[in-house]
């Protein structure tokens, strides 16, 4: 019998990442530098699904960042991965093209 997978709310995970970044000045500075955004643009950007995908991409692209976020928030890394896949769409290795 197959176990039922838990449902992950990708928007909630992305919001948790943004909240975590807001309390981690070094990480927030790194995210802003990589994204090209300024801190005053974050409120407007949150409405953009591409921005939310970018938040999760930032976390998923660097294992120490993923672990730090997971440890700080109690979010399972696999839940971050599920949210990332949901917001980012199919990747080159997904076979979904």
């Amino acid at each position: 019998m197959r176990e039922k997978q838990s449902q992950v709310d990708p928007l909630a995970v992305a919001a948790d990442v943004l909240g975590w970044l807001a309390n981690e000045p070094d990480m927030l500075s790194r995210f802003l530098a990589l994204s090209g955004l300024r801190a005053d643009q974050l409120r407007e950007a949150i409405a953009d699904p591409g921005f939310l995908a970018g938040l999760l991409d930032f976390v998923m692209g660097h294992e120490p960042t993923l672990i730090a976020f997971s440890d700080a928030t109690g979010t399972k890394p696999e839940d971050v991965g599920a949210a990332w896949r949901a917001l980012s769409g199919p990747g080159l290795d997904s076979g979904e093209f």
Side-chain angles (χ1 to χ4, degrees):
M1 188 165 135
R2 190 174 164 185
E3 276 186 47
K4 183 179 176 186
Q5 292 182 346
S6 66
Q7 295 295 322
V8 174
D9 180 353
L11 299 178
V13 175
D16 289 346
V17 169
L18 185 57
W20 175 71
L21 284 175
N23 291 305
E24 297 290 332
D26 291 340
M27 286 286 184
L28 180 60
S29 293
R30 185 170 156 252
F31 173 74
L32 292 173
L34 291 170
S35 70
L37 291 171
R38 296 185 319 265
D40 64 337
Q41 295 173 310
L42 290 177
R43 270 185 209 210
E44 190 174 313
I46 195 84
D48 179 1
F51 170 75
L52 299 177
L55 277 172
L56 296 175
D57 194 54
F58 172 75
V59 172
M60 290 296 294
H62 188 241
E63 187 176 5
T65 301
L66 173 62
I67 299 304
F69 168 74
S70 294
D71 287 349
T73 64
T75 305
K76 293 188 240 176
E78 54 269 22
D79 288 348
V80 179
W84 175 62
R85 284 187 296 282
L87 289 176
S88 297
L92 293 174
D93 63 345
S94 71
E96 294 182 34
F97 286 98

